[in-house]
Amino acid sequence: MRCALNVLLALAILAPALGQATGGRLRGEVIDQLRGAVPGATVIASTIEGDAVLALTSTNERGLLAINALPAGVYDVHVDAEGFLRQSVSEVVVQPPYRAVADFELTPGFE
């Protein structure tokens, strides 16, 4: 009985730690000036020092971006899409288990 009680006590203490996410999440929307979705846009999350790209993804058919399992930190997020100028959001804070949000409205043009 005492052994079972110790096991239950250990599980009660460890359960919150076992359920924690190993990384943060970044979500957002990429639209054009007419509020239309921009599918297939390239999304890059890099350290604010610019020395490491930690995530590279594309928006889905609805212009939504999703990056999972980002280490806690501060990121610059850039979006590139054909026919649009590059857009950036600086100092996006990712802190597990919370969800960070970075939305983009792209301007037509070429660089």
Side-chain angles (χ1 to χ4, degrees), residues 25 34 48 51 53 72 92 96 101:
R25 298 174 295 159
L34 299 175
I48 60 171
D51 59 354
V53 172
V92 176
V101 176

Side-chain angles (χ1 to χ4, degrees), residues 88-102:
S88 299
V89 175
S90 297
E91 299 185 11
V92 176
V93 177
V94 173
Q95 183 62 47
Y98 305 105
R99 178 180 62 198
V101 176

Side-chain angles (χ1 to χ4, degrees), residues 44-54 74-76 78:
I44 302 167
S46 60
T47 59
I48 60 171
E49 295 83 16
D51 59 354
V53 172
L54 295 180
V74 182
Y75 296 88
D76 289 334
H78 311 282

Side-chain angles (χ1 to χ4, degrees), residues 17-33:
L18 293 173
Q20 289 182 355
T22 58
R25 298 174 295 159
L26 175 64
R27 300 290 188 266
E29 180 179 37
V30 180
I31 59 172
D32 61 21
Q33 290 181 322

